[in-house]
Amino acid sequence: MKIALVTGGSRGIGYGISLELARAGFNLALCGRRPENEISGMLQELRETGREVLYCPCDISSASDRKRLLKTVVKKFARIHVLVNNAGVAPRSRKDILNVYEKDFEWLLKINLQGPFFLTQSVANQMIDCKTRDSEFSGCIINITSISASVASVNRGEYCISKAGLAMMTKLFAARLGDYDIPVYEIQPGIIKTDMTAAVSEKYDKLLSEGLTVQKRWGYPVDVARAVVSLAKCDFPYSTGSVFKIDGGLTIQRL
């Protein structure tokens, strides 16, 4: 039975990913910032799929929390086959890049980029160890970034920079782990209907109806989740470093 570790796996896109992975037969290790009693309903829904589900409260920006997370997961499941780096935050406030505060920049980068980098480093070393001891071991790493990795938004520059950093991180780890046949992928969601986008719902309802995307609708967590499941199941074994856009055609250049 394969084990998937999903960061930020209890809400929004992360929960959609967790549910589809469970339905596809993966046992789950999830982490998030909320205490377990606040998400008991979600955890129950995941467990009703028949899969084992471990939840670990964790601040992904904290080195000690990441260490505790991995120790707990390995103690429970012995190994990790799939890491989904999904946890992330939006800017504390949308400020023009000429006015953004340094403390807010640092806060976001620690969660969205620094934490995932060092978690990936730790999990990658564990995967290498598993592969060295067992040639049949199959692992992969999936980074959930955003179209903001390449599409500039000057009122949330720190978010764009964090996602661009994750995009490069995908390439770096893909290159480094190639010798071990551990693929690393990037998924770039577009405008996805979650609690993170609730505050700008009216804005995007209008833009979508006016043709912002080729497919004139919101994306949903399940759209991203189905792509994750396909990658986790090794449907693209010869595509390490690849970017998969789940954006309804938003980034197609049109005249």
Side-chain angles (χ1 to χ4, degrees):
M1 185 67 68
K2 288 194 171 184
I3 312 303
L5 170 56
V6 184
T7 67
S10 64
R11 72 192 318 161
I13 291 174
Y15 183 69
I17 290 169
S18 299
L19 187 57
E20 290 301 310
L21 283 171
R23 288 171 174 168
F26 289 81
N27 284 336
L28 297 174
L30 313 179
C31 74
R33 289 184 295 177
R34 291 179 291 174
E36 186 166 349
N37 66 296
E38 290 187 12
I39 60 167
S40 57
M42 291 182 177
L43 294 176
Q44 179 61 29
E45 184 177 7
L46 292 173
R47 288 171 178 141
E48 285 174 357
T49 65
R51 305 278 69 83
E52 288 192 72
V53 180
L54 172 68
Y55 179 73
C56 302
C58 175
D59 176 357
I60 207 69
S61 69
S62 164
S64 60
D65 274 19
R66 293 193 302 269
K67 184 177 180 179
R68 177 172 49 81
L69 168 66
L70 287 182
K71 183 177 180 180
T72 303
V73 175
V74 171
K75 181 179 180 180
K76 170 72 173 177
F77 293 118
R79 55 178 57 185
I80 298 167
H81 298 89
V82 180
L83 169 62
V84 183
N85 282 309
N86 167 76
V89 293
R92 281 175 167 160
S93 61
R94 290 185 173 224
K95 290 185 179 294
D96 186 289
I97 56 173
L98 297 179
N99 300 311
V100 67
Y101 298 136
E102 187 168 350
K103 63 179 181 179
D104 291 340
F105 184 98
E106 291 177 346
W107 170 80
L108 186 142
L109 266 289
K110 283 193 72 175
I111 296 170
N112 286 12
L113 182 56
Q114 183 174 321
F117 178 91
F118 286 103
L119 178 64
T120 301
Q121 180 189 75
S122 297
V123 174
N125 278 308
Q126 288 194 0
M127 287 182 173
I128 290 170
D129 183 59
C130 288
K131 191 75 172 183
T132 301
R133 291 185 286 108
D134 177 9
S135 62
E136 296 300 311
F137 174 82
S138 175
C140 74
I141 296 167
I142 303 167
N143 296 321
I144 309 300
T145 64
S146 167
I147 58 166
S148 295
S150 58
V151 178
S153 297
V154 297
N155 64 341
R156 53 191 187 116
E158 65 269 49
Y159 182 81
C160 295
I161 290 168
S162 73
K163 295 303 182 179
L166 276 179
M168 175 52 70
M169 189 182 97
T170 301
K171 295 177 176 64
L172 290 167
F173 277 100
R176 185 64 182 87
L177 299 179
D179 288 345
Y180 303 96
D181 197 23
I182 298 172
V184 185
Y185 308 106
E186 178 188 355
I187 291 179
Q188 288 190 0
I191 301 168
I192 308 297
K193 194 84 166 178
T194 68
D195 54 353
M196 186 180 285
T197 54
V200 290
S201 182
E202 287 189 19
K203 169 187 173 181
Y204 283 112
D205 281 343
K206 182 175 185 295
L207 290 172
L208 289 166
S209 69
E210 293 172 349
L212 176 66
T213 56
V214 174
Q215 295 172 281
K216 296 181 181 181
R217 69 167 176 87
W218 283 86
Y220 295 96
V222 69
D223 293 312
V224 181
R226 288 171 179 165
V228 170
V229 169
S230 187
L231 295 173
K233 290 167 60 180
C234 298
D235 289 344
F236 294 86
Y238 198 56
S239 299
T240 191
S242 291
V243 181
F244 296 82
K245 293 181 181 290
I246 313 297
D247 68 355
L250 187 152
T251 51
I252 296 174
Q253 289 187 327
R254 290 174 285 166
L255 292 175

